[in-house]
Amino acid sequence: QVQLVESGGGLVQPGGSLRLSCAASGFTFSSYAMRWYRQAPGKERELVAGISSGGRSTMYADFVKGRFTISRDNAKNTVYLQMNNLAPQDTAVYYCYAFWVGSYNWGQGTQVTVSS
């Protein structure tokens, strides 16, 4: 049974920080590249960041470069998204996504709200 469970979302003030976690089970985590996406109400889901299966290669959307960091701990079957200097436009449901040849899976999402 493949599962991706996000956690760490919540309410934070502008300029604050959050760390999201995505715990994986039911598949060989170390074989999968991972991504974080987000979706705000009324908007399309957008790619935020990605990391290779071994964690040596990362990519970021332009709107989060310098603020967000994706990382993974294959021993813990977990991928993280460290979010710093958050702004109201970062408010969205954040989803983790696992993919490899012939397989892809989505988590259920975790809500991030940035507001004064």
Side-chain angles (χ1 to χ4, degrees), residues 14-88:
S17 298
L18 286 173
R19 189 180 75 158
L20 306 184
S21 298
C22 176
S25 62
F27 64 100
T28 305
F29 179 75
S30 61
S31 296
Y32 283 70
M34 301 293 296
R35 289 174 174 171
W36 286 96
Y37 288 79
R38 71 185 188 187
Q39 187 167 28
K43 296 184 178 180
E44 295 184 354
R45 189 170 297 188
E46 60 186 354
L47 177 63
V48 175
I51 189 166
S52 61
S53 59
R56 297 181 181 180
S57 180
T58 59
M59 59 80 62
Y60 299 93
D62 287 342
F63 54 82
V64 303
K65 285 182 179 178
R67 299 190 297 126
F68 291 10
T69 303
I70 188 171
S71 62
R72 67 191 295 160
D73 186 341
N74 284 350
K76 296 181 178 180
N77 286 2
T78 302
V79 63
Y80 305 94
L81 185 68
Q82 178 67 46
M83 305 186 294
N84 298 326
N85 195 24
L86 286 161

